[in-house]
Amino acid sequence: MSGRALAASALLGALAVAGCRLGNGYQVYLITMVCLTTMVGVGLNVLLGLTGQVSLGHVGFYALGAYATAILTTRCSVDFWLALPIAAAVAGALGVVLALPALRVAGPYLAMVTIAFGFIVQNAAIEWRSLTGGANGLMNIPPPVLLGHAFAINDVALLALALAALLLGLFHLLREGAWGRAMRAVRASEAAAQSLGLDLIAVRITAFAVSAAAAGLAGAVFAPLSGFIGPSSFTFFQSILFLLVVIIGGAGTTAGPLVGASVVVLLPQLGARFAEYQLLCFGAALLLVLWLAPEGIVGAVARLLPRAAGAAATPPAGDVICAKGGRDLVAEALAVAFGGIRAVAEVSFRAEAGRITSLIGPNGAGKTTLLNLLSGFCQPDGGSVRLGAQALAGLPPHRVARAGIARTFQTSQLFAGLSVLDNVAAALRGPRLGSLFPIAAGRVAVEERRRAESMLRFVGYDGAIDHPAADLAHVDKRLVEIARALATRPDVLLLDEPAAGLGEADTRRLAALLRRIAAAGIAVVLVEHDMGLVMELSDQVVVLDAGRCIAVGPPAAVQNDPVVIKAYLGEGDFRPRPRPSPLPAAAPLALSMSALNAGYGAVPVLKDVDIDIRAGELAAVLGANGAGKSTMMRAVSGLLRPVT
C-alpha cells in the first residue's frame, strides 16, 4: 500500500473515531452500520472480486453470526468475547458446507443455490422457536463487557470500526499474497490455473469459508448493537444490498467495500425528507453510478490516476529453468472418443528429455485432443501416459501439472486480472500457497519477484513487468505464457501452436527459445502448423490423421513419407468437378479488395491484399496458420477495425 493511501486511511479512520465519540446516537448508529456493511462487503469481495462467484445469500451467514452470538450470550451465559470468534467459525464452517454443492454449478445457478441457503436460514429461524424465539426473535441481548465496563453504542461503534479496518487490512494481504493470486487466476482461466497445479475446489472452498466467516463476524457485532434480532432483520433484500456494496465500490479492490457501504447506507439518508420518493431516488442514483463506473467507484478513480512507468525484467539467473528429473514422457495406445467419433485412436510415442517432439497433422487430426490427454484435461478411454515411472492417465489436470507437465494453450490463457509479473509469480508458487494472510512475506516476495523477472527475460520478454497481462501484444502474450509454464519447473512442456499469428522475425525468436528450453533438459512437445518451423526444430515428428498415428520419425523421413503427403495433399490424381453451368463472360463484380491492410494493434497482418470475386464464383482462401485468412474475413465483414 502506498504512502498516500496509508495517509488517506489514517485520516479517514481518525474522522470515523471522532464521529463515534462526538456524534449523536443516530449518527453513531449509521457509522456502525457502515462498518458492519463494510465487513460483509469484504467477505463478499473475496468471493465475487477474487474468485468471480456470485452469492445472493450472504444475509444467511450474517444471520448465523447474529443468532450464534445472541443464543450463546443470552441462553448459555457465554461471554461475548468468546461468542464472537465462535460465531465467525460457525458461519465459516457452514460456508464450507454450502460450497460443496454450490461448486458443482456456476453463474445464475450458483446464485440460485445461495438464494436458497438464505431462505433456509430465515425459515429455520422462524420454525426453531425453542432456540431462536421464532418470529418473535431474541430480545435483551447483553452488550459486550470489557474489564467491568459495559459497552454503550459508542463503544460498539468503535469495535465495529476496528473490526472493519482489520478485515480491510486482511483482505489487502490476501489479495496481494499467493492465495489472492491463485483466486484471481481461477477467476480468469480455470484451465490455465489447473495447468499450474492449482486445485480449483480447494481454492474456491477457501474463498467461501473466508467470505462466510467475515459475514458471520459482522452479524456477531450486529446482535448486541441492536439488542434484538428476529427473522425480519435478515431479509433477501439485505443480500441484494450486500452485493451492490461490492459492485458499486469496485469488485476486487481493497477500498471498494468501504466506499460501497458508505453509498448504500448513507445515500438513502440524504433523501430522507422525500420519504415517498426515497427508493426511487436511491435506485436512480445506483443506476447512474453503475452506468458511469461499471468497474466501481474505486476502479474508476484508479483508472484516472496516472500509472507509474513499469520496470523491465532483470537479466536471467544461471539456474532460471531446471527440469525436476529429466524424465521421458511415454504415451501408449492412447484412445478417446466423443460420442461416436474417435478423436484419438491407439496413439503411441515417446517424448525424450532434452529433445523436441512435434505433433503435426491436418485440422481435426486430434493434435489438441492428444495434448489434453497428456495434460489431464481429457480422460482417456484406453491406453496409458507415463512420466518416467509415474502413471498419469486418469489424474485430474492439477495433479498432472504437479507431477511435472506444463502446457500453453492454442488461444492465450493469461490471467487477465493480474500483471505480467504476477502471472509468472503465480506459477512459481503453484499449489504451495502458504499463509492466507502473509504478514511477514517480504523476503519471499522479493525472491519470487527476482525469479519471475529472470524467467521473463529468459524467454525474451522485454516489456514492462507491472503491465496488465490483458493489454499485451500477441507475441508478448505468447512469451509470458511460456515463461509462466516454465516457472513450474516442469519435466515436459506442451506447446499448442505457439507460432500462430507470429511474424517471421518473432517466429525465429521463438525457435531459438525452444532450442534453449530443450537444451535445459526439458522434453518439448510441440503442436504446430508451420512446417518450416517444425522441420527446422524437431528431433522427432509424430504425424496424426483422423486420430491415428500414421508416421513417427525424424523430420527428413516424415517429410518424404508418401502416406504423410497423401494425408496433407490428398490423392495425386484428383481432378476438380466441372461447374454445372459456366460463368457468364461478363459476370458482375460482387466483392473487391484493393490494397487492403489490417492488423491487431501494432502487429500488421494483411498487407496490400488485392482480390476481385465475381457473382457466382466460389473462391477458396488458402495459406499457412497465421497467414491472415481469418483476419481477412473479419476485415471484410466489419468485425475488425480499423482497416485501410
Side-chain angles (χ1 to χ4, degrees):
M1 189 178 293
S2 66
R4 186 180 301 175
L6 285 173
S9 301
L11 176 61
L12 186 63
L15 291 175
V17 170
C20 292
R21 283 299 183 192
L22 304 177
N24 59 41
Y26 183 64
Q27 293 169 340
V28 172
Y29 178 79
L30 285 180
I31 293 174
T32 309
M33 290 309 300
V34 169
C35 293
L36 296 182
T37 307
T38 298
M39 293 168 65
V40 181
V42 169
L44 197 51
N45 203 17
V46 174
L47 209 57
L48 177 64
L50 298 186
T51 64
Q53 300 172 97
V54 178
S55 171
L56 286 172
H58 253 55
V59 71
F61 299 116
Y62 187 56
L64 283 170
Y67 270 103
T69 301
I71 292 169
L72 288 172
T73 54
T74 59
R75 304 199 174 203
C76 304
S77 300
V78 174
D79 186 77
F80 170 81
W81 302 106
L82 179 59
L84 186 70
I86 292 176
V90 168
L94 284 175
V96 172
V97 173
L98 176 63
L100 294 175
L103 292 178
R104 295 182 175 272
V105 294
Y109 301 102
L110 174 61
M112 290 172 65
V113 169
T114 56
I115 289 173
F117 169 74
F119 286 146
I120 289 172
V121 171
Q122 187 180 30
N123 282 277
I126 295 173
E127 299 299 332
W128 203 347
R129 298 181 183 86
S130 60
L131 185 65
T132 65
N136 294 325
L138 294 173
M139 295 180 287
N140 300 321
I141 301 172
V145 177
L146 182 64
L147 301 177
H149 170 67
F151 276 31
I153 187 172
N154 305 72
D155 302 311
V156 176
L158 289 172
L159 172 62
L161 178 63
L163 290 176
L166 175 64
L167 289 186
L168 288 169
L170 290 178
F171 177 85
H172 180 74
L173 294 176
L174 172 65
R175 182 181 184 275
E176 299 303 320
W179 275 98
R181 283 199 300 265
M183 290 175 184
R184 288 183 285 164
V186 168
R187 176 184 183 177
S189 172
E190 293 183 5
Q194 288 177 293
S195 74
L196 304 183
L198 294 175
D199 187 342
L200 304 184
I201 301 297
V203 171
R204 284 177 169 155
I205 286 179
T206 301
F208 251 102
V210 172
S211 180
L217 190 65
V221 179
F222 173 74
L225 171 70
S226 62
F228 161 80
I229 59 170
S232 59
S233 305
F234 311 103
T235 62
F236 174 68
F237 180 70
Q238 193 73 20
S239 274
I240 302 294
L241 290 181
F242 290 150
L243 186 63
L244 283 175
V245 163
V246 179
I247 295 174
I248 292 172
T253 62
T254 300
L258 175 60
V259 174
S262 301
V263 171
V264 169
V265 174
L266 300 180
L267 186 60
Q269 307 305 317
L270 299 179
R273 67 181 64 183
F274 309 108
E276 62 272 26
Y277 304 112
Q278 187 174 5
L279 284 179
L280 180 62
C281 295
F282 180 57
L286 291 183
L287 285 175
L288 183 64
V289 169
L290 295 176
W291 177 50
L292 296 176
E295 68 272 54
I297 295 175
V298 175
V301 172
R303 182 164 48 84
L304 295 175
L305 294 176
R307 182 185 296 168
T314 59
D319 60 343
V320 63
I321 63 172
C322 178
K324 294 177 180 176
R327 295 173 290 172
D328 296 347
L329 176 66
V330 180
E332 292 183 351
L334 273 181
V336 68
F338 302 110
I341 300 175
R342 300 285 290 180
V344 173
E346 305 296 327
V347 172
S348 301
F349 71 95
R350 174 186 291 269
E352 297 181 1
R355 294 166 65 86
I356 298 177
T357 300
S358 292
L359 307 177
I360 66 172
N363 277 10
K367 305 180 295 297
T368 297
T369 301
L370 182 56
L371 286 193
N372 289 337
L373 288 170
L374 297 175
S375 55
F377 286 93
C378 183
Q379 301 305 320
D381 296 331
S384 65
V385 179
R386 296 196 316 275
L387 183 57
Q390 185 176 3
L392 301 180
L395 294 180
H398 69 276
R399 295 279 303 280
V400 174
R402 294 176 186 181
I405 294 182
R407 70 167 295 177
T408 65
F409 297 85
Q410 194 170 16
T411 302
S412 178
Q413 296 285 330
L414 290 181
F415 304 132
L418 299 179
S419 67
V420 170
L421 183 73
D422 282 341
N423 264 269
V424 181
L428 286 171
R429 276 295 186 97
R432 303 176 301 278
L433 300 177
S435 170
L436 269 175
F437 311 109
I439 298 175
R443 184 179 302 176
V444 175
V446 169
E447 176 62 20
E448 285 180 357
R449 185 181 180 91
R450 185 192 68 82
R451 286 190 57 80
E453 290 176 357
S454 296
M455 196 72 65
L456 288 165
R457 182 57 66 92
F458 174 83
V459 300
Y461 176 78
D462 54 6
I465 58 178
D466 296 317
H467 200 71
D471 298 341
L472 294 179
H474 177 68
V475 60
D476 287 334
K477 286 183 178 180
R478 292 293 191 191
L479 294 177
V480 173
E481 194 171 25
I482 293 174
R484 186 182 65 186
L486 292 174
T488 63
R489 305 185 68 175
D491 283 313
V492 180
L493 177 61
L494 310 178
L495 300 167
D496 197 351
E497 297 189 31
L502 300 186
E504 185 178 349
D506 292 328
T507 300
R508 288 198 300 269
R509 290 170 56 199
L510 176 66
L513 171 61
L514 296 185
R515 290 192 191 98
R516 294 200 305 272
I517 293 172
I522 294 175
V524 178
V525 179
L526 174 68
V527 169
E528 187 54 66
H529 283 279
D530 187 334
M531 288 300 102
L533 180 65
V534 168
M535 297 304 165
E536 174 190 351
L537 283 178
S538 304
D539 298 297
Q540 176 185 233
V541 178
V542 179
V543 187
L544 301 178
D545 185 30
R548 295 187 176 276
C549 182
I550 60 174
V552 179
V558 168
Q559 196 170 16
N560 298 310
D561 190 322
V563 178
V564 176
I565 295 173
K566 177 181 176 182
Y568 270 99
L569 301 179
E571 299 287 354
D573 59 352
F574 172 77
R575 291 182 178 83
R577 190 172 61 180
R579 290 180 57 87
S581 59
L583 284 172
L589 196 63
L591 176 67
S592 178
M593 291 172 246
S594 177
L596 178 64
N597 291 268
Y600 302 96
V603 181
V605 178
L606 299 180
K607 304 171 186 176
D608 295 327
V609 174
D610 298 302
I611 299 175
D612 288 337
I613 302 174
R614 298 191 175 274
E617 281 189 332
L618 175 63
V621 183
L622 302 180
N625 270 25
K629 305 182 297 295
S630 295
T631 300
M632 188 187 79
M633 294 292 193
R634 289 170 57 82
V636 170
S637 59
L639 296 175
L640 176 63
R641 286 291 182 268
V643 300
T644 60

